[in-house]
Amino acid sequence: MDYSQFFNSALARLHDERRYRVFADLERIAGRFPHATWHSPKGQRNVVIWCSNDYLGMGQHPKVVGAMVETATRVGTGAGGTRNIAGTHHPLVQLEAELADLHGKQASLLFTSGYVSNQTGISTIAKLIPNCLILSDALNHNSMIEGVRQAGCERQIFRHNDVAHLEELLIAAGPDRPKLIACESLYSMDGDVAPLAEICDLAEKYGAMTYVDEVHAVGMYGPRGGGIAERDGVMHRIDVLEGTLAKAFGCLGGYIAGNAEIIDAVRSYAPGFIFTTALPPAICSAATAAIRHLKTSSWERERHQDRAARTKAILTAAGLPVMSSETHIVPLFVGDPEKCKRASDMLLEEHGIYIQPINYPTVAKGSERLRITPSPYHEDGLIDALADALLQVWERLGLPLQKKQQAAE
Ligand SMILES: *Cc1c(COP(=O)(O)O)cnc(C)c1O
């Protein structure tokens, strides 16, 4: 039997559909973010990263790097075990307390990643509720979809951010059926925000539990970086908040926060929590340093919003098809997987600008895009150079420009 043919034909399908992925080999330079070295097939090149999820550059912040180095030097590298068997170390316990405080909850629980926290968190919570019906937003992240699937209970999908549709489903389920609403607060491919207050109204009216993924909002929204729920004043009305330490906090790991009994039950029943080694102490200390810093410093948040607004304004004024976004995400519409990939390649090879193409299955076919994420450290000159490079690429690929608008400044 020729087993290799199975893998080769699977790869050929991806090439045919123009969704075979190539990873850029990057080396970031601490202190010079968003500048990095690209180890290209033709040698080393300096590039500017325009698509990082280290949204605030906290991955290079001296307090965060310092905490990581200091902790590793003091206590060593790995945790040395699962949480139950020697792996519950003090920096991790402190981090969980920090996260519970961030979200105004009784407790929090740390996982290997945000992916795992959704997958094992949602499935465990739903399994512990007899006859649970999960109501899931149509654009939920793959990690939530996997959590819902593994829960094994009935699920219904409501149209994206459509509270009228959600209400219909809640009414149809009846008052006696236990219901879990699962959604994100900020959807990172379009940059739109869920109507959390209205969702909480419905949850309270129809007796549903709420689970909200704040992965793209923690650190960046709310006076202390608690996320969209903090910004909108509804944190206390949401049962379970989920977040990551890998995006705005610049480290690694995921978590859920909620009432003590929910967190204790997930701690006690979730396979994806129980049967894996705890996060290393140095990572936990670094994450705690990032969270603490962002609880009191709003410079990063304000500068981040300012840079995102300027990027949108400059690209829009140049006639580039910036998709509407209420947040720091700047999606640029391409609508063709081949051209999206080629635009990205040309930006990197000819302009030293790195923006990964976003194609199916991350977004729907026909809505392929370049997803631009400005950070506090993208200076005016970098934004102007980005607009110039994009205009050249758009012209070479014959991509449509919009009617020139009045320049914003
Ligand atoms: C990135 C992401 C996750 C996963 O978080 P990681 O910490 O990177 O595993 C979960 N939910 C959403 C919406 C994400 O974009």
Side-chain angles (χ1 to χ4, degrees), residues 180-238:
L180 176 66
I181 301 170
C183 67
E184 298 179 29
S185 65
L186 195 166
Y187 291 83
S188 81
M189 291 301 148
D190 294 304
D192 58 335
V193 170
L196 290 183
E198 288 171 73
I199 291 173
C200 290
D201 290 344
L202 291 179
E204 284 158 16
K205 184 166 175 197
Y206 297 101
M209 225 180 113
T210 44
Y211 180 107
V212 177
D213 173 319
E214 287 254 45
V215 159
H216 291 279
V218 288
M220 290 171 278
Y221 294 87
R224 297 202 313 157
I228 297 289
E230 187 195 22
R231 183 195 75 179
D232 293 356
V234 296
M235 219 156 50
H236 61 287
R237 299 174 68 194
I238 295 168

Side-chain angles (χ1 to χ4, degrees), residues 26 51 81 88-89 98 148 164 166 175 183 197 211 230 235 240 242 303 306 335-336 344-345 348 358 380 389 407:
L26 299 166
C51 59
T88 298
H89 51 81
E98 197 68 42
V148 170
L166 174 60
C183 67
Y211 180 107
E230 187 195 22
M235 219 156 50
V240 181
E242 184 270 345
R303 176 84 180 157
D306 172 74
D336 177 281
S344 167
D345 288 345
L348 185 58
I358 307 286
D380 285 1

Side-chain angles (χ1 to χ4, degrees), residues 113-115 118 141 143 184 213 215-216 244 246-247 253:
S113 68
Y115 192 98
N118 274 334
H141 188 258
S143 55
E184 298 179 29
D213 173 319
V215 159
H216 291 279
T244 184
K247 289 170 184 170

Side-chain angles (χ1 to χ4, degrees), residues 115-319:
Y115 192 98
V116 173
S117 62
N118 274 334
Q119 189 185 32
T120 203
I122 294 174
S123 60
T124 303
I125 289 166
K127 274 184 177 156
L128 292 173
I129 305 172
N131 193 31
C132 183
L133 170 67
I134 301 182
L135 300 164
S136 180
D137 186 283
L139 290 191
N140 277 348
H141 188 258
N142 177 273
S143 55
M144 302 182 78
I145 296 171
E146 280 302 309
V148 170
R149 202 178 56 77
Q150 282 180 26
C153 61
E154 192 189 341
R155 61 132 173 78
Q156 287 170 355
I157 311 291
F158 60 94
R159 286 187 297 271
H160 176 54
N161 278 350
D162 185 338
V163 282
H165 190 208
L166 174 60
E167 183 163 23
E168 270 173 41
L169 298 177
L170 285 164
I171 293 170
D176 299 329
R177 180 96 191 254
K179 300 166 281 287
L180 176 66
I181 301 170
C183 67
E184 298 179 29
S185 65
L186 195 166
Y187 291 83
S188 81
M189 291 301 148
D190 294 304
D192 58 335
V193 170
L196 290 183
E198 288 171 73
I199 291 173
C200 290
D201 290 344
L202 291 179
E204 284 158 16
K205 184 166 175 197
Y206 297 101
M209 225 180 113
T210 44
Y211 180 107
V212 177
D213 173 319
E214 287 254 45
V215 159
H216 291 279
V218 288
M220 290 171 278
Y221 294 87
R224 297 202 313 157
I228 297 289
E230 187 195 22
R231 183 195 75 179
D232 293 356
V234 296
M235 219 156 50
H236 61 287
R237 299 174 68 194
I238 295 168
D239 294 296
V240 181
L241 288 159
E242 184 270 345
T244 184
L245 305 172
K247 289 170 184 170
F249 295 130
C251 296
L252 181 72
Y255 63 90
I256 57 172
N259 273 354
E261 71 280 3
I262 301 174
I263 299 303
D264 201 15
V266 174
R267 183 186 73 89
S268 309
Y269 280 94
F273 172 82
I274 296 171
F275 298 104
T276 191
T277 299
L279 282 174
I283 302 271
C284 296
S285 293
T288 300
I291 296 162
R292 280 190 187 153
H293 177 79
L294 290 173
K295 274 180 181 170
T296 52
S297 169
S298 48
W299 178 85
E300 289 82 2
R301 276 188 284 280
E302 282 162 16
R303 176 84 180 157
H304 183 218
Q305 292 299 322
D306 172 74
R307 298 291 83 192
R310 185 167 194 279
T311 305
K312 284 180 201 171
I314 296 284
L315 301 192
T316 304

